[in-house]
């Protein structure tokens, strides 16, 4: 635990750096020509993950949901030009602010605390992926007109049903200036405490299902192609 890496150059490895311990710090390092640059799949916590350069790797960076992601790392010429979110439920307040490349959501996970997604973040949803906001959790995805937040299929030719969708069972969730596409059910709403504004829900089998949300009804300015009820 507590390992620290600063100004290291790691290249030509199978996995350049694989961290399983807690409270590690990785700053100002370069990862190049690796199969996997930095693998944090099993890291239970990080004290820092910032200002690193990932170039010409197959998979530059693999993370879980147990620490924040900022926009200080750079990504150039990687085979998979995205950051893989492999596992890890959101069990403490987290912020995802990665803008330079998409977040590839490989599998489904529960949001059991507050997850804040900053404007402009792109979530590329894998075929087995879903997001479920548990009763004690909350999703704050508040974009802007110029920097919308997207939840869309990872497939090169997307279609309805490519991923499972977003289920909301927690109060106070907010999707503003968001795009949700190509899911089975784009948003499945189970609570009445929910804000949907300036968002586009389209190209899913069902874009919005709020039949379990009591008195909640769509309001504001949104584009919703199909909805239940």
């Amino acid at each position: 635990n507590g390992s620290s890496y600063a100004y290291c150059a790691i290249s030509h490895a199978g996995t350049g750096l694989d961290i399983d311990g807690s409270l590690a710090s990785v700053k100002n390092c370069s990862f190049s020509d690796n199969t996997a640059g930095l693998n944090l799949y099993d890291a239970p916590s990080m004290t820092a993950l910032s200002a690193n350069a990932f170039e010409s790797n197959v998979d530059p960076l693999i993370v879980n949901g147990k620490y924040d992601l900022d926009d200080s790392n750079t990504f150039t010429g990687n085979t998979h030009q995205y950051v893989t979110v492999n596992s890890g439920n959101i069990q403490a307040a987290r912020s995802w602010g990665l803008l330079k490349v998409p977040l590839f959501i490989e599998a489904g996970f529960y949001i059991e605390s507050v997850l804040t997604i900053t404007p402009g973040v792109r979530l590329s949803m894998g075929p087995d992926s879903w997001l479920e906001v548990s009763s004690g959790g909350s999703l704050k995805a508040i974009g802007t007109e110029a920097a919308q937040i997207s939840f869309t299929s990872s497939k090169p030719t997307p279609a309805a049903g490519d991923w499972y969708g977003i289920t909301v069972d927690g109060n106070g969730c907010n999707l503003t200036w968001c795009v949700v596409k190509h899911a089975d059910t784009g948003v499945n709403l189970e609570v009445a405490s929910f804000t949907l504004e300036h968002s586009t829900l389209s190209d899913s089998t069902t874009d919005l299902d709020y039949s379990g949300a009591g008195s909640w009804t769509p309001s504001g300015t949104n584009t919703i192609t199909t909805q239940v009820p």
Side-chain angles (χ1 to χ4, degrees), residues 112-154:
E112 300 170 346
S113 184
V114 179
L115 174 61
T116 300
I117 302 177
T118 65
V121 171
R122 295 162 289 160
L123 289 87
S124 178
M125 309 302 295
D128 296 321
S129 70
W130 43 265
L131 305 179
E132 180 166 342
V133 185
S134 301
S135 59
S138 189
L139 174 61
K140 307 290 188 182
I142 303 175
T144 67
E145 185 174 11
Q148 300 190 27
I149 298 168
S150 63
F151 305 79
T152 58
S153 170
S154 64

Side-chain angles (χ1 to χ4, degrees), residues 22-142:
S22 63
L23 301 174
S25 173
V26 183
K27 298 191 296 183
N28 299 108
C29 294
S30 66
F31 298 85
S32 61
D33 299 290
N34 303 289
T35 303
L38 175 57
N39 186 357
L40 303 176
Y41 174 86
D42 289 317
S45 61
M46 296 289 293
T47 58
L49 174 61
S50 60
N52 301 293
F54 299 88
E55 183 175 359
S56 301
N57 304 279
V58 177
D59 288 294
L61 176 59
I62 301 168
V63 300
N64 59 43
K66 298 179 180 178
Y67 32 83
D68 295 337
L69 298 173
D70 65 24
D71 201 38
S72 64
N73 300 289
T74 60
F75 303 84
T76 307
N78 300 284
T79 303
H80 298 150
Q81 191 69 353
Y82 51 70
V83 170
T84 300
V85 182
N86 206 306
S87 68
N89 297 332
I90 305 298
Q91 297 177 323
R94 295 286 172 243
S95 173
W96 288 353
L98 178 68
L99 305 180
K100 294 182 176 69
V101 294
L103 287 168
F104 172 55
I105 309 300
E106 190 168 52
F109 60 88
Y110 293 96
I111 300 171
E112 300 170 346
S113 184
V114 179
L115 174 61
T116 300
I117 302 177
T118 65
V121 171
R122 295 162 289 160
L123 289 87
S124 178
M125 309 302 295
D128 296 321
S129 70
W130 43 265
L131 305 179
E132 180 166 342
V133 185
S134 301
S135 59
S138 189
L139 174 61
K140 307 290 188 182
I142 303 175

